Amino acid sequence: MLKKKSKYIVAIVGATGAVGREMVSILEERKFPVSELVLLASDRSEGERIEFDGKNRSVKKLVNDSFHGVDIALFSAGSEQSLKYAPLAVAAGAVVIDNSSAFRMDDKVPLVVPEINAHALDKHTGIVANPSSSTIGLLMALKPIHEAVKVKRVVVTTFQSVSGTGKDAIDELAGQTVALLNFKDIEVKVYPHQIAFNCLPHIDGFLENGYTKEEMNMANETRKVMEDDTIRLTCTTVRVPVFRCHAESVNIETEKELSANEARAILAKMPGVLVYDDPSRSIYPLHLDVSGKDEIYVGRVRADDTVKNGLNIWIVIDNIRKGAALNAVQIAERLLP
Ligand code: NAP
């Protein structure tokens, strides 16, 4: 539990990564009460300088006793680091907010999107988990619809940007694009295939049931955050050659009827959701427009007449902001006494 203080010592584990760097700027933008910012990464980045609050701060190597005196530790350095160091941070007295998938389905760890289930924070025992970025995008739109007419079944196809994989994937897309446009050979390192000018229906490892871990995570995390095991969700996750934001085509079957206009009105009232939906003027959420935004954008809201109570929607979320860094900082804000 956090003790009441005027300012807190905050650590960012993975501070040099795509999410970690965004955390630094979001803490500053939202004027989070930071007395000291501890920037941690691997030995590859030791000594690198990152600006926060007008001062250049040095990145330190993550070690077992990095958390001495730390009040809040924001983890975004992958599951392996979270599994090893999050318990050490908790033992040192910190509250951990983890972006990896390490603890998401752990019964003792609340999985939180503050606009949806902030009450789950009351039960934390030191670690709180962020859902995956595409799950956060989906649930921000699904929650108000579920409350109004009860969601029975959801079919999702995602269009996920390379920043979802991290900084090496951003470099790979840029590098391959430049190489191909200059008629040069490309390097394929991060993904199993070329990502430039290509789409890969493959995010994270495949499981025995033919789904990927990312796809099963979305189904499992949805039920945990929504606190409803009856919601059926099936999903195909696709990596697309876009730098930032994830889009999701979502088909929803509900228990009671909801017209497209009623759905738009309900979505518009949800904090953190922006309805952006006027196809007659070519207005619908685009990866490029949502990049850098805090809200998730929803458009193409329309009835699915092939089932009794069906809706189709199109969602775009900035995966680095609300999909990761912003959600983590919002959790930290809610934890302040
Ligand atoms: P990234 O750009 O590859 O950054 C990874 C960060 O982890 C870097 O700061 C890296 O430090 C650090 N790191 C790696 N190995 C380490 C080690 N052995 N010891 C200490 N630090 C180490 O990845 P990212 O996209 O920011 O993602 C980070 C985490 O957030 C992952 O768990 C990911 O699943 C999760 N997440 C990401 C997104 C997203 O959209 N990107 C969304 C939700 C959740 P160096 O610079 O020293 O290598």
Side-chain angles (χ1 to χ4, degrees):
M1 293 301 141
L2 280 174
K3 293 201 186 84
K4 194 163 174 58
K5 294 182 181 178
S6 60
K7 290 190 171 184
Y8 297 84
I9 301 180
V10 178
I12 300 183
V13 181
T16 53
V19 173
R21 285 180 188 275
E22 196 78 19
M23 282 171 166
V24 175
S25 39
I26 290 177
L27 286 171
E28 186 169 335
E29 264 170 46
R30 294 174 73 92
K31 297 189 173 33
F32 194 86
V34 178
S35 59
E36 190 188 329
L37 190 64
V38 182
L39 301 170
L40 301 165
S42 78
D43 49 5
R44 292 180 291 273
S45 324
E46 204 174 358
E48 202 176 302
R49 315 284 291 177
I50 293 180
E51 196 182 309
F52 174 73
D53 222 5
K55 281 187 217 135
N56 265 320
R57 312 192 181 223
S58 186
V59 175
K60 297 192 185 110
K61 182 184 166 190
L62 174 65
V63 290
N64 288 357
D65 60 1
S66 290
F67 302 97
H68 181 71
V70 168
D71 298 301
I72 301 166
L74 304 174
F75 272 68
S76 70
S79 292
E80 208 179 307
Q81 272 52 253
S82 294
L83 286 168
K84 179 168 175 197
Y85 292 98
L88 298 178
V90 173
V95 175
V96 168
I97 302 165
D98 184 38
N99 266 284
S100 80
S101 56
F103 304 104
R104 286 182 191 149
M105 294 313 294
D106 185 327
D107 287 343
K108 294 185 291 305
V109 174
L111 183 64
V112 174
V113 181
E115 294 87 342
I116 298 176
N117 64 336
H119 58 266
L121 291 172
D122 297 343
K123 292 197 188 121
H124 87 81
T125 54
I127 302 177
V128 178
N130 251 14
S132 77
S133 46
S134 39
T135 306
I136 294 177
L138 171 71
L139 298 188
M140 290 286 289
L142 214 55
K143 174 68 177 176
I145 294 174
H146 188 54
E147 276 189 352
V149 285
K150 193 162 176 19
V151 170
K152 281 170 38 184
R153 179 168 182 263
V154 191
V155 184
V156 186
T157 306
T158 69
F159 303 74
Q160 298 181 220
S161 64
V162 296
S163 57
T165 315
K167 57 189 169 124
D168 293 348
I170 297 171
D171 293 345
E172 183 144 317
L173 174 58
Q176 288 181 354
T177 307
V178 170
L180 287 164
L181 291 176
N182 285 285
F183 306 102
K184 295 204 170 123
D185 291 338
I186 57 157
E187 272 196 325
V188 175
K189 284 193 295 196
V190 175
Y191 299 116
H193 303 280
Q194 173 185 325
I195 183 64
F197 310 105
N198 208 4
C199 294
L200 315 179
H202 176 184
I203 297 184
D204 209 336
F206 279 101
L207 301 166
E208 270 183 11
N209 63 3
Y211 285 79
T212 64
K213 278 192 210 156
E214 180 89 350
E215 289 161 352
M216 291 314 297
N217 286 350
M218 184 181 268
N220 295 330
E221 292 172 23
T222 291
R223 289 188 278 267
K224 181 165 175 181
V225 176
M226 301 278 267
E227 297 165 353
D228 189 337
D229 284 339
T230 66
I231 298 174
R232 287 175 294 146
L233 186 148
T234 184
C235 160
T236 304
T237 54
V238 183
R239 188 71 68 194
V240 296
V242 165
F243 284 104
R244 189 144 165 163
C245 295
H246 297 342
E248 302 173 47
S249 161
V250 185
N251 177 262
I252 308 165
E253 251 184 279
T254 57
E255 208 155 276
K256 293 190 215 131
E257 196 182 344
L258 187 72
S259 71
N261 275 340
E262 287 166 334
R264 274 187 216 99
I266 284 170
L267 286 162
K269 284 194 198 135
M270 175 74 181
V273 171
L274 200 109
V275 176
Y276 198 66
D277 195 19
D278 187 356
S280 67
R281 294 194 293 136
S282 302
I283 287 178
Y284 30 72
L286 297 174
H287 285 78
L288 287 179
D289 292 340
V290 180
S291 180
K293 303 285 179 0
D294 286 352
E295 296 85 5
I296 69 132
Y297 282 45
V298 184
R300 302 291 322 275
V301 180
R302 62 214 189 272
D304 170 11
D305 294 331
T306 65
V307 288
K308 189 157 169 248
N309 299 315
L311 270 180
N312 280 310
I313 61 173
W314 172 257
I315 298 168
V316 181
I317 177 171
D318 183 326
N319 54 297
I320 303 287
R321 283 185 79 85
K322 181 60 184 166
L326 174 63
N327 198 69
V329 173
Q330 287 175 316
I331 290 173
E333 289 171 347
R334 297 274 185 150
L335 287 171
L336 294 182

